[in-house]
Amino acid sequence: MTTTGGTRSFGIDNSLRPKSSPYGAAPEGKKEGSKLHVGADIHLKGEITACDRLIVEGKVEASMTSKEIEISQSGVFNGTVDIDTADISGEFDGTMKARKRLVVRKTGRVTGDISYGEIEIEPGGEVGGTLKKIAGEQPNLLTEMESGKDTAKKTDDAESEKESV
């Protein structure tokens, strides 16, 4: 074993070792969208924007437009979501539009005004309120959100051009 400048090499050239990602960044090669994880003892209120995936283990009272929501057994969500897929093992109460798929696990309880593309309810899962199947193929929400940003940017650019003329 050799030591150079406080770094132990154990016979391996350190320049050949893979570089670690900065704290909080996704490792290279595994590019994920934005993810928000609400821990077990956390209570979050407000509006959630620019989040691709929300994982709820605590309590959330919010409105949200996103790709995915996962509510764990200990999780509670009250509010409004417009989402592609929802996986519910805890409690959801409010208005949900699950464009692609809604899965209610055996420990899950969903109540409120619910719209869905596909639904799966495991034995033991509870669903109450108004259920409505969404007719036809729904666009991917992320694609729709991105195209909305592009349209807004083009509109802003056009407005800027008018002002500068």
Short mmCIF file of all heavy atoms in Angstrom, two decimals, residues 4-43:
data_model
loop_
_atom_site.label_atom_id
_atom_site.label_comp_id
_atom_site.label_asym_id
_atom_site.label_seq_id
_atom_site.Cartn_x
_atom_site.Cartn_y
_atom_site.Cartn_z
N THR A 4 -0.20 8.71 -1.21
CA THR A 4 0.26 9.91 -1.91
C THR A 4 -0.70 11.04 -1.60
O THR A 4 -1.86 10.98 -1.99
CB THR A 4 0.33 9.69 -3.42
OG1 THR A 4 -0.92 9.22 -3.87
CG2 THR A 4 1.42 8.71 -3.80
N GLY A 5 -0.22 12.01 -0.88
CA GLY A 5 -1.06 13.19 -0.61
C GLY A 5 -2.34 12.86 0.14
O GLY A 5 -3.36 13.47 -0.12
N GLY A 6 -2.33 11.88 1.04
CA GLY A 6 -3.51 11.55 1.81
C GLY A 6 -4.46 10.60 1.11
O GLY A 6 -5.50 10.27 1.64
N THR A 7 -4.13 10.12 -0.08
CA THR A 7 -5.00 9.20 -0.81
C THR A 7 -4.35 7.84 -0.83
O THR A 7 -3.19 7.71 -1.25
CB THR A 7 -5.21 9.69 -2.26
OG1 THR A 7 -5.72 11.00 -2.21
CG2 THR A 7 -6.18 8.79 -2.99
N ARG A 8 -5.07 6.83 -0.40
CA ARG A 8 -4.54 5.47 -0.43
C ARG A 8 -4.83 4.87 -1.80
O ARG A 8 -5.94 4.96 -2.28
CB ARG A 8 -5.18 4.62 0.65
CG ARG A 8 -4.85 5.11 2.02
CD ARG A 8 -5.48 4.24 3.04
NE ARG A 8 -5.29 4.83 4.35
CZ ARG A 8 -5.70 4.30 5.45
NH1 ARG A 8 -6.36 3.15 5.43
NH2 ARG A 8 -5.50 4.89 6.59
N SER A 9 -3.85 4.24 -2.37
CA SER A 9 -4.06 3.74 -3.73
C SER A 9 -4.31 2.25 -3.79
O SER A 9 -4.92 1.77 -4.73
CB SER A 9 -2.87 4.10 -4.63
OG SER A 9 -1.72 3.40 -4.20
N PHE A 10 -3.87 1.46 -2.83
CA PHE A 10 -4.05 0.02 -2.82
C PHE A 10 -3.72 -0.61 -4.17
O PHE A 10 -4.40 -1.49 -4.64
CB PHE A 10 -5.48 -0.36 -2.42
CG PHE A 10 -5.82 0.04 -1.01
CD1 PHE A 10 -6.60 1.14 -0.77
CD2 PHE A 10 -5.34 -0.68 0.07
CE1 PHE A 10 -6.90 1.52 0.51
CE2 PHE A 10 -5.63 -0.31 1.36
CZ PHE A 10 -6.42 0.80 1.60
N GLY A 11 -2.72 -0.09 -4.83
CA GLY A 11 -2.26 -0.68 -6.08
C GLY A 11 -3.10 -0.30 -7.29
O GLY A 11 -2.86 -0.79 -8.37
N ILE A 12 -4.10 0.56 -7.14
CA ILE A 12 -4.93 0.98 -8.28
C ILE A 12 -4.68 2.46 -8.52
O ILE A 12 -4.68 3.25 -7.60
CB ILE A 12 -6.44 0.76 -8.00
CG1 ILE A 12 -6.72 -0.73 -7.78
CG2 ILE A 12 -7.28 1.30 -9.14
CD1 ILE A 12 -8.13 -1.02 -7.34
N ASP A 13 -4.46 2.79 -9.77
CA ASP A 13 -4.24 4.19 -10.13
C ASP A 13 -5.56 4.95 -9.94
O ASP A 13 -6.57 4.64 -10.58
CB ASP A 13 -3.77 4.27 -11.59
CG ASP A 13 -3.45 5.69 -12.02
OD1 ASP A 13 -3.57 6.62 -11.20
OD2 ASP A 13 -3.07 5.85 -13.20
N ASN A 14 -5.59 5.95 -9.04
CA ASN A 14 -6.81 6.69 -8.75
C ASN A 14 -7.37 7.42 -9.96
O ASN A 14 -8.56 7.70 -10.01
CB ASN A 14 -6.57 7.69 -7.61
CG ASN A 14 -6.52 7.00 -6.27
OD1 ASN A 14 -7.13 5.94 -6.09
ND2 ASN A 14 -5.80 7.59 -5.33
N SER A 15 -6.56 7.73 -10.94
CA SER A 15 -7.07 8.42 -12.12
C SER A 15 -7.96 7.49 -12.95
O SER A 15 -8.73 7.96 -13.78
CB SER A 15 -5.92 8.96 -12.98
OG SER A 15 -5.16 7.88 -13.51
N LEU A 16 -7.85 6.17 -12.73
CA LEU A 16 -8.68 5.22 -13.46
C LEU A 16 -10.02 4.94 -12.77
O LEU A 16 -10.90 4.35 -13.36
CB LEU A 16 -7.94 3.88 -13.63
CG LEU A 16 -6.63 3.95 -14.42
CD1 LEU A 16 -5.95 2.60 -14.43
CD2 LEU A 16 -6.91 4.43 -15.83
N ARG A 17 -10.15 5.37 -11.51
CA ARG A 17 -11.40 5.14 -10.78
C ARG A 17 -12.49 6.06 -11.32
O ARG A 17 -12.23 7.20 -11.66
CB ARG A 17 -11.21 5.42 -9.29
CG ARG A 17 -10.29 4.43 -8.64
CD ARG A 17 -10.12 4.78 -7.18
NE ARG A 17 -9.09 3.92 -6.62
CZ ARG A 17 -9.20 3.28 -5.48
NH1 ARG A 17 -10.29 3.40 -4.77
NH2 ARG A 17 -8.23 2.53 -5.05
N PRO A 18 -13.73 5.56 -11.35
CA PRO A 18 -14.82 6.42 -11.81
C PRO A 18 -15.05 7.57 -10.82
O PRO A 18 -14.91 7.40 -9.62
CB PRO A 18 -16.04 5.49 -11.85
CG PRO A 18 -15.68 4.29 -11.05
CD PRO A 18 -14.19 4.22 -11.00
N LYS A 19 -15.34 8.72 -11.36
CA LYS A 19 -15.61 9.90 -10.53
C LYS A 19 -17.02 9.79 -9.98
O LYS A 19 -17.95 9.45 -10.68
CB LYS A 19 -15.48 11.19 -11.36
CG LYS A 19 -14.12 11.35 -12.02
CD LYS A 19 -13.10 11.76 -11.00
CE LYS A 19 -11.79 12.10 -11.67
NZ LYS A 19 -10.69 11.25 -11.30
N SER A 20 -17.19 10.12 -8.70
CA SER A 20 -18.52 10.08 -8.10
C SER A 20 -19.28 11.34 -8.48
O SER A 20 -18.69 12.38 -8.77
CB SER A 20 -18.43 9.94 -6.59
OG SER A 20 -17.76 11.05 -6.06
N SER A 21 -20.59 11.23 -8.44
CA SER A 21 -21.45 12.37 -8.76
C SER A 21 -21.45 13.35 -7.61
O SER A 21 -21.29 12.96 -6.46
CB SER A 21 -22.88 11.90 -9.00
OG SER A 21 -22.91 10.96 -10.04
N PRO A 22 -21.66 14.63 -7.90
CA PRO A 22 -21.81 15.60 -6.82
C PRO A 22 -22.99 15.21 -5.94
O PRO A 22 -23.94 14.57 -6.40
CB PRO A 22 -22.09 16.92 -7.53
CG PRO A 22 -21.75 16.70 -8.95
CD PRO A 22 -21.78 15.23 -9.20
N TYR A 23 -22.95 15.61 -4.68
CA TYR A 23 -24.01 15.28 -3.74
C TYR A 23 -25.36 15.72 -4.28
O TYR A 23 -25.52 16.85 -4.72
CB TYR A 23 -23.76 15.96 -2.39
CG TYR A 23 -24.82 15.64 -1.37
CD1 TYR A 23 -24.86 14.39 -0.77
CD2 TYR A 23 -25.80 16.55 -1.05
CE1 TYR A 23 -25.83 14.07 0.15
CE2 TYR A 23 -26.78 16.25 -0.14
CZ TYR A 23 -26.79 15.01 0.46
OH TYR A 23 -27.77 14.72 1.36
N GLY A 24 -26.34 14.81 -4.27
CA GLY A 24 -27.70 15.13 -4.70
C GLY A 24 -27.94 14.97 -6.20
O GLY A 24 -29.06 15.04 -6.65
N ALA A 25 -26.88 14.76 -6.97
CA ALA A 25 -27.05 14.61 -8.42
C ALA A 25 -27.24 13.14 -8.76
O ALA A 25 -26.72 12.25 -8.08
CB ALA A 25 -25.83 15.15 -9.16
N ALA A 26 -27.99 12.87 -9.81
CA ALA A 26 -28.19 11.49 -10.27
C ALA A 26 -26.89 11.00 -10.87
O ALA A 26 -26.19 11.74 -11.55
CB ALA A 26 -29.30 11.44 -11.30
N PRO A 27 -26.52 9.74 -10.61
CA PRO A 27 -25.31 9.20 -11.22
C PRO A 27 -25.40 9.25 -12.73
O PRO A 27 -26.48 9.11 -13.29
CB PRO A 27 -25.27 7.75 -10.73
CG PRO A 27 -26.23 7.66 -9.60
CD PRO A 27 -27.22 8.78 -9.78
N GLU A 28 -24.25 9.46 -13.39
CA GLU A 28 -24.25 9.52 -14.85
C GLU A 28 -24.76 8.21 -15.42
O GLU A 28 -24.51 7.15 -14.89
CB GLU A 28 -22.84 9.79 -15.37
CG GLU A 28 -22.53 11.26 -15.38
CD GLU A 28 -21.26 11.56 -16.14
OE1 GLU A 28 -21.08 11.02 -17.24
OE2 GLU A 28 -20.46 12.33 -15.61
N GLY A 29 -25.49 8.29 -16.52
CA GLY A 29 -26.05 7.11 -17.15
C GLY A 29 -27.47 6.83 -16.64
O GLY A 29 -28.23 6.18 -17.29
N LYS A 30 -27.79 7.29 -15.46
CA LYS A 30 -29.13 7.10 -14.90
C LYS A 30 -29.80 8.46 -14.78
O LYS A 30 -29.99 8.99 -13.69
CB LYS A 30 -29.06 6.45 -13.53
CG LYS A 30 -28.65 5.02 -13.54
CD LYS A 30 -28.79 4.41 -12.17
CE LYS A 30 -28.48 2.94 -12.20
NZ LYS A 30 -28.66 2.33 -10.89
N LYS A 31 -30.11 9.06 -15.88
CA LYS A 31 -30.75 10.37 -15.89
C LYS A 31 -32.22 10.20 -15.52
O LYS A 31 -32.96 9.52 -16.20
CB LYS A 31 -30.64 11.03 -17.27
CG LYS A 31 -29.22 11.31 -17.70
CD LYS A 31 -28.63 12.45 -16.91
CE LYS A 31 -27.24 12.74 -17.41
NZ LYS A 31 -26.54 13.69 -16.62
N GLU A 32 -32.60 10.77 -14.39
CA GLU A 32 -33.98 10.74 -13.95
C GLU A 32 -34.53 12.15 -14.07
O GLU A 32 -33.79 13.12 -14.05
CB GLU A 32 -34.08 10.32 -12.48
CG GLU A 32 -33.90 8.86 -12.24
CD GLU A 32 -34.21 8.50 -10.78
OE1 GLU A 32 -34.82 9.31 -10.07
OE2 GLU A 32 -33.82 7.41 -10.38
N GLY A 33 -35.84 12.22 -14.11
CA GLY A 33 -36.46 13.53 -14.06
C GLY A 33 -36.42 14.02 -12.62
O GLY A 33 -35.84 13.39 -11.74
N SER A 34 -37.04 15.14 -12.38
CA SER A 34 -37.05 15.69 -11.03
C SER A 34 -37.93 14.83 -10.13
O SER A 34 -38.98 14.34 -10.54
CB SER A 34 -37.55 17.12 -11.06
OG SER A 34 -38.83 17.17 -11.64
N LYS A 35 -37.47 14.63 -8.90
CA LYS A 35 -38.18 13.76 -7.96
C LYS A 35 -38.25 14.46 -6.61
O LYS A 35 -37.28 15.03 -6.15
CB LYS A 35 -37.43 12.43 -7.83
CG LYS A 35 -38.07 11.47 -6.83
CD LYS A 35 -37.50 10.07 -6.94
CE LYS A 35 -36.12 9.96 -6.40
NZ LYS A 35 -35.67 8.57 -6.26
N LEU A 36 -39.43 14.40 -5.98
CA LEU A 36 -39.62 14.96 -4.65
C LEU A 36 -40.06 13.83 -3.74
O LEU A 36 -41.01 13.13 -4.03
CB LEU A 36 -40.69 16.06 -4.66
CG LEU A 36 -41.07 16.68 -3.31
CD1 LEU A 36 -39.85 17.34 -2.65
CD2 LEU A 36 -42.18 17.69 -3.49
N HIS A 37 -39.32 13.66 -2.64
CA HIS A 37 -39.62 12.61 -1.67
C HIS A 37 -40.01 13.29 -0.37
O HIS A 37 -39.21 13.97 0.24
CB HIS A 37 -38.37 11.75 -1.47
CG HIS A 37 -38.61 10.53 -0.66
ND1 HIS A 37 -38.05 9.33 -0.97
CD2 HIS A 37 -39.36 10.30 0.43
CE1 HIS A 37 -38.43 8.42 -0.10
NE2 HIS A 37 -39.23 9.00 0.77
N VAL A 38 -41.27 13.09 0.05
CA VAL A 38 -41.76 13.68 1.29
C VAL A 38 -41.70 12.58 2.35
O VAL A 38 -42.45 11.61 2.30
CB VAL A 38 -43.21 14.20 1.14
CG1 VAL A 38 -43.72 14.77 2.45
CG2 VAL A 38 -43.27 15.25 0.03
N GLY A 39 -40.76 12.73 3.29
CA GLY A 39 -40.51 11.71 4.31
C GLY A 39 -41.65 11.53 5.30
O GLY A 39 -42.59 12.33 5.37
N ALA A 40 -41.53 10.48 6.12
CA ALA A 40 -42.60 10.03 7.01
C ALA A 40 -43.10 11.09 7.99
O ALA A 40 -44.28 11.15 8.27
CB ALA A 40 -42.15 8.79 7.77
N ASP A 41 -42.25 11.91 8.54
CA ASP A 41 -42.68 12.90 9.54
C ASP A 41 -42.81 14.30 8.96
O ASP A 41 -42.84 15.28 9.70
CB ASP A 41 -41.69 12.92 10.71
CG ASP A 41 -41.71 11.60 11.47
OD1 ASP A 41 -42.80 11.01 11.58
OD2 ASP A 41 -40.65 11.16 11.95
N ILE A 42 -42.92 14.41 7.65
CA ILE A 42 -43.01 15.70 6.98
C ILE A 42 -44.45 16.01 6.62
O ILE A 42 -45.18 15.15 6.15
CB ILE A 42 -42.14 15.72 5.69
CG1 ILE A 42 -40.70 15.33 5.99
CG2 ILE A 42 -42.22 17.07 5.00
CD1 ILE A 42 -39.95 16.28 6.87
N HIS A 43 -44.84 17.29 6.80
CA HIS A 43 -46.17 17.77 6.38
C HIS A 43 -45.92 18.92 5.41
O HIS A 43 -45.34 19.94 5.78
CB HIS A 43 -46.95 18.26 7.60
CG HIS A 43 -48.36 18.63 7.28
ND1 HIS A 43 -49.31 18.78 8.24
CD2 HIS A 43 -49.01 18.89 6.11
CE1 HIS A 43 -50.47 19.12 7.69
NE2 HIS A 43 -50.29 19.19 6.39
#
